Amino acid sequence: MAAAKNTEHKVVLTLPDIGLSKAQINSLKKNFKNEVVTHLGGPEVLARRRIVVVVVVVIVFSRPKA
Amino acid sequence: MLHESSSALGETERTDGLPLRSSPGGGLKVCLVGPPTVTDFEDPEVAESEAIRLIAEHAPIGVLSLAAVLEQCGAAPQIVDLNRLYYSYLRAPGETASKTDFCSYVAAELDQLAFDVLGFSSICSSYPLTIRIAEQMKRRRPGVPIIFGGPQASVVDVPTMKAYPFVDVVVRGEAEETLPALIAAIASGATPSGIHGITYRDGGRIVRAPNAAVIADLDAIPLPAFHLYPELRDCHYVPLELGRGCPFACSFCSTNDFFRRKFRLKSPETVIAQMRLVRDTYGITTFDLIHDMFTVDRKRVMAFCEAVIATGEQFYWNCSARTDCIDEEMIATMARAGCKAIFFGIETGSARLQTIVKKNIDLAEAATRIEATDRHQITTAVSLITGFPDETMDDLRDTVHFFVDSLRFDFAEPQLHILAPLAETPLESHHRKELVFDDILSDMSHQGWRQDPVDREMIQSHVDIFPNFYSIPTPKLDRAYLRELRDFLLNGSVRFRWLLVALHQDSGDVTQAFEAFRRWYAADPDRGPRPDLQESRYYASKTFCDDFIAFVRDDYAPRLARTPRVLHSILDYERALLAETPPPTEVTAEDQDISDITLVPKLTDGVVLTECAADYQRIIRCLRRKGDLRRIPRRPATIATRQHADKRLDVVMLSPLSAQLLKLCDGARTVSDIAGRLTPTNRTISAIPAEKVCMFGLEVLRQQGLIALHRDLAAKAG
Ligand code: B12
Ligand code: SF4
């Protein structure tokens, strides 16, 4: 009955500026791309739905540390 | 639990002490009792499960609709919902054994109320119980007329009244017009002769009046009297009628005849107005929109959906449809209008039986529709039946094939029922003389693990009243096998959906794996169903999961499988899910700044790592499109499972580098130590300093909740 929701899991990375170029960040994103599958209710519960959630890594630079 | 409306005749006080406003017009006090559908689950644990409680929440709109029209006529209806009462009974203090039986409990509760007429709704599965309650009430209140109505009493009216003299009248079929007429006759002391749609007593005779006309204008029926059902506030959804009557003629179906096959729909305006009213009064926006075959008239379905979309308001709803009365465009529009669940009666996966049972749907088209509802994220009940009299093993295999095939879609929820011969259906009429009481019951009639012995006696004495508890013999199929196969498939698909799909694909027929499983457990007294854990309970238990996983690992995969490696990978994964992971504790990370390379990353509590021989996601993708499993490459992968406090379970497929990183987080190494040991194999990042790679990767893992950062304890101590 209840609406099953598919959620997109956004991981917003807040990294200090560690001197990575855009291309390097993109390669790192690819290499650390984990896929999350959420099982609502846990294995013992009757209705177990699998929702594949692809992690989108967004980089937000925080100000470099003083 | 027991609710009265505000108008009443005669008494001005309820016997439970609550004051009652007096009625303006005066009218009989009519108590309407909704049918119990959860009494099957006498095992409190099962009854209290979320799935069963959700079913029990289904407001009894048959009697609520009647209450609404009775109120309009000045009568004073009250509603008793036996599902709700059942929970009060279960939850009442005291050991089950020492408690009175549910029937007497209900009678005692009803006896607290003041009423002049008592009406019972009926459904086949709990009809014996309804009759027993009525009998007790007649003894307690001999002067109160007892009226039966609803789908079961409507079709077994004469035999019921012959066998049970305390049933005074049966109202057959839709009753919004008949019941007020009957109540008026009772109020005036007149005989009900002349009222169409009833079966009544005239002296010693039982008289069956002609059928009442169907209600042509459903918009004229008021909103069910939800105000007499305050429990609605706690419900997750509300049932509302979209219309009545299915024009098809499937041989096992009772509901088509009940509504005289006359397809009718309420206007979109009426339904939307009712949804709004419910939302504004009770704050509920999810609706079970009831119609046996909503989608018969494409134009009107589209008009309804467009009207809902045009409101710009958010309603969620579900409905029933035939796969040959719906198409891709309708599904897309329905989804946009808020359709979240749909019920498809497929009935059988055998094209031959489709014709025999007069369902006549095209199975390839049905599969396409399920694929479409899945794509639109509409939860889809794929309802299948086995146990038809003409069914052969090949037909059964086709049905099982359809069942397992649907499992490939995340939003499909296949069901497998065992046929119940519903009273007065063409199938039941044709096989009436052959019916047997073999205790291999469908869930249509199964009364749980403790069917009341009194019910059994009634059922055995009156096949004409309770045929749904009987079986039509299946000369070509062993019914005990059917029941076990059903338990196996239903529980298996809930516990290890993809393992079933993989076994089906590997063997070409999952019934072969099922039969091999039966042979396997038969050879070992410590495996399989056993005297203290009989079949249905066994299949619902964790013991079955453990046994089945052991069977696939030790017997099926090495001996019979064509793609053992794939099966092993799925097993690894399923085991990771079934494993009891420790519940998470509060994260007490002291510092979250990843650029501090002296911090020590540590796996969060509740996180468990499992190695798989092949990429699970890739296997699933292959199974979804029925690809060749032999082409799945060996590619070891690591998955992390993480238990949430609210029972959700996250499964994270780690990229190879994430896995490497996570394994280095042993709770002692600092970020800097880990960076020193990390060996990225991918050339694209080999030029990036290891420390930066490490910081980046650890931050991803931290934000995914897999690790937390701590200060180095040793350093702290120093
Ligand atoms: C929603 C629904 C459910 C819900 C809620 C049940 C409920 N409380 O009504 C749930 C999911 C729980 C359910 C379960 C089952 N259901 Co069901 N369900 C329906 C469905 C689709 C709609 C019911 C409804 O609300 N109708 C709308 C209202 C307005 O109609 P109504 O209830 O019939 O009431 C009218 C008349 O019957 C009459 N009336 C009703 N009560 C009374 C009382 C009196 C005193 C009088 C005078 C008149 C009267 O007046 C009302 C207004 O016109 C019907 C099919 C249908 N279209 O009706 C099947 C139906 C009632 N279910 C049916 C069955 C078989 C089942 C199950 C037994 C099997 C199953 N696996 O599905 C289970 C029960 C499980 C169990 N173990 O007990 C059959 C019943 C056949 C029969 N001969 O009894 C039906 C008719 C469908 C079919 N397959 O043919 N069901
Ligand atoms: S099974 Fe469905 S389509 Fe067939 S007659 Fe009954 S309601 Fe109609």
Side-chain angles (χ1 to χ4, degrees):
Chain A
M1 217 67 55
K5 271 194 245 154
N6 249 17
T7 40
E8 201 186 41
H9 208 99
K10 275 203 175 128
V11 170
V12 182
L13 280 188
T14 313
L15 279 182
D17 191 346
I18 49 176
L20 290 168
S21 71
K22 219 170 179 180
Q24 286 176 325
I25 287 170
N26 280 338
S27 320
L28 286 170
K29 275 204 237 179
K30 278 194 201 114
N31 276 278
F32 288 108
K33 191 173 161 200
N34 305 325
E35 282 182 80
V36 183
V37 184
T38 300
H39 290 249
L40 296 179
E44 78 284 5
V45 171
L46 286 172
R48 199 174 69 178
R49 165 155 329 292
R50 285 133 202 247
I51 300 170
V52 179
V53 179
V54 178
V55 175
V56 182
V57 183
V58 180
I59 310 289
V60 179
F61 286 105
S62 64
R63 253 179 286 130
K65 275 191 175 176
Chain B
M1 210 56 53
L2 312 173
H3 312 292
E4 299 203 10
S5 82
S6 54
S7 64
L9 176 82
E11 294 169 66
T12 51
E13 215 180 38
R14 275 169 53 156
T15 49
D16 61 7
L18 296 177
L20 199 70
R21 274 167 279 147
S22 63
S23 92
L28 285 188
K29 287 172 145 188
V30 183
C31 177
L32 295 172
V33 184
T37 51
V38 286
T39 46
D40 283 10
F41 306 100
E42 204 170 316
D43 193 329
E45 229 176 84
V46 181
E48 293 289 1
S49 70
E50 199 188 340
I52 304 299
R53 274 191 289 113
L54 262 184
I55 295 175
E57 261 187 25
H58 207 279
I61 57 160
V63 288
L64 286 166
S65 177
L66 296 177
V69 290
L70 286 178
E71 277 188 332
Q72 285 185 335
C73 306
Q78 52 192 306
I79 296 295
V80 176
D81 178 8
L82 290 188
N83 281 341
R84 301 287 173 159
L85 214 49
Y86 188 65
Y87 280 99
S88 313
Y89 167 75
L90 275 185
R91 291 167 190 165
E95 285 299 308
T96 325
S98 67
K99 274 191 207 169
T100 147
D101 65 292
F102 180 56
C103 174
S104 309
Y105 177 85
V106 174
E109 289 286 316
L110 289 177
D111 215 9
Q112 309 259 318
L113 294 171
F115 48 77
D116 309 303
V117 177
L118 184 54
F120 287 94
S121 189
S122 64
I123 189 163
C124 56
S125 50
S126 53
Y127 199 43
L129 174 64
T130 304
I131 292 175
R132 285 194 287 123
I133 298 171
E135 182 176 23
Q136 286 210 22
M137 288 316 294
K138 195 61 157 191
R139 243 182 272 134
R140 289 169 185 256
R141 307 269 183 101
V144 170
I146 290 187
I147 304 175
F148 272 25
Q152 182 66 7
S154 292
V155 287
V156 293
D157 50 330
V158 174
T160 300
M161 290 180 65
K162 271 194 190 153
Y164 304 108
F166 44 86
V167 180
D168 297 301
V169 187
V170 173
V171 175
R172 307 189 314 267
E174 298 167 66
E176 281 89 351
E177 285 168 2
T178 314
L179 187 62
L182 177 64
I183 297 297
I186 294 173
S188 67
T191 65
S193 59
I195 301 175
H196 282 190
I198 62 168
T199 307
Y200 64 101
R201 295 180 195 279
D202 183 9
R205 274 189 329 135
I206 294 170
V207 183
R208 196 168 207 264
N211 287 341
V214 295
I215 298 168
D217 180 13
L218 294 181
D219 284 340
I221 298 177
L223 180 77
F226 289 127
H227 57 283
L228 298 181
Y229 190 71
E231 288 88 354
L232 205 66
R233 288 196 184 280
D234 306 323
C235 290
H236 294 85
Y237 65 95
V238 174
L240 280 181
E241 269 192 295
L242 270 174
R244 294 177 182 172
C246 171
F248 290 92
C250 308
S251 68
F252 52 87
C253 178
S254 72
T255 181
N256 49 8
D257 205 41
F258 185 84
F259 291 115
R260 312 258 175 258
R261 300 237 177 95
K262 180 106 182 52
F263 178 79
R264 288 155 285 159
L265 267 189
K266 292 188 174 183
S267 67
E269 294 73 30
T270 301
V271 180
I272 292 171
Q274 295 195 339
M275 295 200 294
R276 280 192 178 128
L277 205 72
V278 168
R279 178 200 56 200
D280 297 344
T281 318
Y282 303 97
I284 302 170
T285 50
T286 302
F287 297 89
D288 182 17
L289 293 185
I290 290 177
H291 193 303
D292 288 317
M293 249 313 293
F294 172 46
T295 57
V296 165
D297 187 335
R298 184 180 200 280
K299 250 200 205 148
R300 296 180 68 184
V301 173
M302 293 300 260
F304 170 77
C305 293
E306 297 298 352
V308 174
I309 294 166
T311 63
E313 297 161 42
Q314 192 64 72
F315 296 112
Y316 302 104
W317 48 276
N318 56 271
C319 66
S320 276
R322 278 175 65 109
T323 48
D324 56 356
C325 294
I326 199 164
D327 55 50
E328 175 81 36
E329 192 192 350
M330 278 167 92
I331 292 171
T333 313
M334 287 163 72
R336 273 201 300 132
C339 177
K340 286 288 167 197
I342 197 159
F343 179 95
F344 284 148
I346 306 295
E347 327 302 359
T348 169
S350 151
R352 192 183 78 90
L353 281 183
Q354 281 289 339
T355 319
I356 294 178
V357 305
K358 299 199 165 66
K359 183 86 188 191
N360 294 320
I361 59 171
D362 180 303
L363 290 160
E365 182 184 61
T368 318
R369 299 298 174 248
I370 295 166
E371 189 271 321
T373 48
D374 181 70
R375 211 168 346 99
H376 290 280
Q377 303 188 356
I378 297 175
T379 299
T380 307
V382 177
S383 179
L384 294 156
I385 302 175
T386 179
F388 290 106
D390 305 287
E391 194 166 343
T392 63
M393 197 59 201
D394 281 342
D395 296 321
L396 172 65
R397 277 194 207 102
D398 288 344
T399 295
V400 171
H401 182 76
F402 203 95
F403 181 102
V404 181
D405 243 13
S406 329
L407 288 173
R408 293 183 300 119
F409 301 105
D410 278 347
F411 283 82
E413 288 177 355
Q415 312 172 348
L416 182 62
H417 306 282
I418 294 182
L419 178 77
L422 296 184
E424 294 299 325
T425 55
L427 202 76
E428 186 265 344
S429 308
H430 189 255
H431 293 276
R432 195 165 290 163
K433 293 211 168 69
E434 304 151 40
L435 297 184
V436 290
F437 191 54
D438 64 359
D439 267 331
I440 299 176
L441 296 167
S442 152
D443 55 338
M444 291 266 183
S445 45
H446 173 62
Q447 285 284 301
W449 292 303
R450 278 179 257 169
Q451 179 139 29
D452 197 293
V454 189
D455 284 357
R456 287 180 65 92
E457 255 183 67
M458 292 167 71
I459 293 166
Q460 278 177 302
S461 319
H462 298 289
V463 60
D464 51 348
I465 304 177
F466 310 109
N468 55 295
F469 293 95
Y470 286 73
S471 318
I472 304 177
T474 48
K476 297 181 193 103
L477 288 176
D478 172 10
R479 287 178 57 83
Y481 174 91
L482 288 187
R483 182 178 56 189
E484 187 174 345
L485 177 64
R486 172 177 183 271
D487 281 333
F488 168 80
L489 288 173
L490 293 185
N491 289 292
S493 60
V494 167
R495 303 216 179 223
F496 28 73
R497 189 176 184 115
W498 289 108
L499 184 58
L500 274 195
V501 180
L503 282 170
H504 188 63
Q505 191 151 321
D506 181 86
S507 61
D509 171 16
V510 79
T511 60
Q512 284 181 18
F514 166 66
E515 284 165 23
F517 174 59
R518 284 174 111 204
R519 287 192 295 274
W520 177 81
Y521 77 62
D524 183 344
D526 295 330
R527 304 279 195 189
R530 54 204 77 170
D532 61 331
L533 197 59
Q534 284 182 349
E535 221 166 85
S536 287
R537 276 178 189 261
Y538 167 75
Y539 278 103
S541 73
K542 191 170 169 296
T543 313
F544 160 58
C545 290
D546 296 342
D547 282 0
F548 194 69
I549 285 179
F551 156 74
V552 177
R553 187 190 57 220
D554 303 340
D555 191 60
Y556 187 90
R559 230 168 39 82
L560 303 164
R562 270 177 266 180
T563 50
R565 184 162 41 83
V566 169
L567 291 180
H568 276 299
S569 300
I570 296 180
L571 277 183
D572 288 336
Y573 177 83
E574 300 284 354
R575 254 188 316 111
L577 293 190
L578 294 167
E580 311 243 320
T581 40
T585 47
E586 281 282 298
V587 182
T588 48
E590 293 107 37
D591 204 325
Q592 301 296 353
D593 185 355
I594 196 70
S595 63
D596 180 348
I597 56 170
T598 65
L599 288 177
V600 178
K602 190 171 166 259
L603 256 62
T604 323
D605 280 349
V607 172
V608 175
L609 299 182
T610 308
E611 301 292 337
C612 283
D615 180 343
Y616 181 78
Q617 287 296 64
R618 187 156 176 182
I619 295 174
I620 301 305
R621 279 196 291 271
C622 180
L623 286 171
R624 274 192 213 282
R625 44 161 225 279
K626 298 191 192 169
D628 186 351
L629 289 174
R630 285 167 307 186
R631 298 177 69 174
I632 299 279
R634 167 180 293 282
R635 205 189 91 180
T638 309
I639 55 180
T641 44
R642 183 167 59 114
Q643 187 82 57
H644 291 262
D646 63 1
K647 293 210 165 173
R648 252 176 327 119
L649 187 74
D650 276 353
V651 181
V652 186
M653 314 289 155
L654 296 166
S655 71
L657 199 56
S658 294
Q660 204 194 116
L661 201 55
L662 205 54
K663 283 181 213 157
L664 289 169
C665 297
D666 62 355
R669 296 187 186 112
T670 61
V671 175
S672 155
D673 296 338
I674 293 172
R677 286 164 194 256
L678 193 68
T679 50
T681 47
N682 195 319
R683 265 194 295 130
T684 56
I685 55 168
S686 54
I688 308 173
E691 233 163 52
K692 292 184 184 179
V693 173
C694 188
M695 281 180 209
F696 189 101
L698 287 173
E699 185 57 11
V700 173
L701 295 172
R702 190 185 70 77
Q703 296 213 21
Q704 285 179 336
L706 298 175
I707 57 163
L709 299 170
H710 300 268
R711 282 247 149 259
D712 181 352
L713 292 178
K716 225 189 213 174

